[in-house]
């Protein structure tokens, strides 16, 4: 989180807040649904390789990019963390 290499962004019309931060060769993606509603969002990851697989942290599932885009569904107030 304190990495000098980080990028903040919003998606889904400002409802999903994200942070990409680096730690050496690994990067982390943190996503937060800041609403009390279910929603779908897609985030662009220019830092990733096309079709790259992301490892869900804290019991999260593995996801694969479509190109450099990650489509996800969110529960209300859900937080997702990935390593890639």
């Amino acid at each position: 989180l304190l990495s000098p290499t980080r990028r903040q962004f919003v998606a889904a019309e400002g409802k999903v807040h994200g942070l990409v931060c680096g730690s050496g060769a690994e990067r982390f993606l943190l996503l937060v649904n800041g609403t009390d509603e279910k929603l779908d969002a897609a985030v662009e990851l220019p830092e990733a390789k096309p079709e790259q697989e992301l490892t869900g942290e804290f019991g999260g599932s593995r996801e694969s990019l479509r190109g450099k885009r990650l489509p996800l569904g969110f529960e209300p107030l859900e937080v997702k963390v990935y390593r890639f």
Side-chain angles (χ1 to χ4, degrees):
L1 292 175
L2 300 176
S3 167
T5 306
R6 63 178 178 248
R7 176 177 65 89
Q8 298 175 340
F9 61 91
V10 294
E13 299 174 357
K15 296 177 182 178
V16 174
H17 295 264
L19 174 69
V20 176
C21 52
S23 175
E26 289 185 316
R27 291 192 174 112
F28 292 88
L29 170 65
L30 291 83
L31 298 165
V32 178
N33 174 5
T35 72
D36 59 357
E37 60 189 61
K38 285 186 174 184
L39 57 90
D40 292 320
V43 297
E44 285 287 329
L45 290 175
E47 301 89 350
K49 297 175 187 164
E51 314 302 323
Q52 187 169 357
E53 189 170 275
L54 286 73
T55 303
E57 297 293 313
F58 311 109
S61 61
R62 295 176 81 90
E63 304 288 344
S64 294
L65 297 178
R66 294 181 184 158
K68 289 193 170 199
R69 194 169 182 82
L70 179 63
L72 294 169
F74 287 88
E75 293 296 321
L77 302 173
E78 185 175 16
V79 176
K80 296 180 184 256
V81 180
Y82 297 97
R83 179 172 32 96
F84 65 101

